[in-house]
Amino acid sequence: MKQIDAQQQPLDRYQSFCGLDCQARAEQLVAYICQLSRQKERNNPFWCKFTASAEAKEGADALLLVHTNIFYMRELLEKHPDNQWLRLLDALENDCC
């Protein structure tokens, strides 16, 4: 999986979303959250439903999933810490949500 750097040149979302690559970064984060939840939270009904929604062909897109579940995602990433993914979540929240 290609890694997307959360530390990129500052762009202003209030001027334009061009160059922010919100969808690709959200897809990367959602894929990681699904992987993490399968490994660490496989018996948690919320994460089972989240993963099913993320993998559904006709479901919400990744950016919407991040936007609507950002607090739960943060809680999961803080419970199973990985600073790279927390930085990406912060960048998505600041740049795209």
Side-chain angles (χ1 to χ4, degrees):
M1 181 183 308
K2 179 184 168 195
Q3 297 297 315
I4 298 175
D5 187 8
Q7 301 294 324
Q8 56 181 306
Q9 181 179 7
L11 298 170
D12 188 352
R13 69 178 172 172
Y14 295 107
Q15 291 180 355
S16 173
F17 282 98
C18 294
L20 295 176
D21 206 10
C22 295
Q23 189 63 36
R25 293 189 298 163
E27 289 170 3
Q28 182 182 13
L29 180 62
V30 167
Y32 177 74
I33 291 291
C34 289
Q35 175 187 340
L36 181 62
S37 66
R38 272 194 221 97
Q39 293 171 356
K40 307 283 186 177
E41 302 288 333
R42 67 179 145 257
N43 296 321
N44 183 314
F46 174 83
W47 290 114
C48 291
K49 186 172 180 174
F50 177 91
T51 300
S53 178
E55 295 173 346
K57 288 185 178 184
E58 296 178 7
D61 69 22
L63 190 55
L64 178 61
L65 285 172
V66 170
H67 181 74
T68 57
N69 296 287
I70 199 159
F71 299 111
Y72 304 111
M73 296 170 88
R74 181 174 307 284
E75 180 180 52
L76 181 68
L77 292 172
E78 288 174 350
K79 184 176 179 182
H80 308 286
D82 186 325
N83 288 333
Q84 170 191 353
W85 297 105
L86 281 167
R87 283 192 308 271
L88 180 56
L89 180 65
D90 287 340
L92 281 167
E93 183 176 20
N94 291 328
D95 296 346
C96 305
C97 292

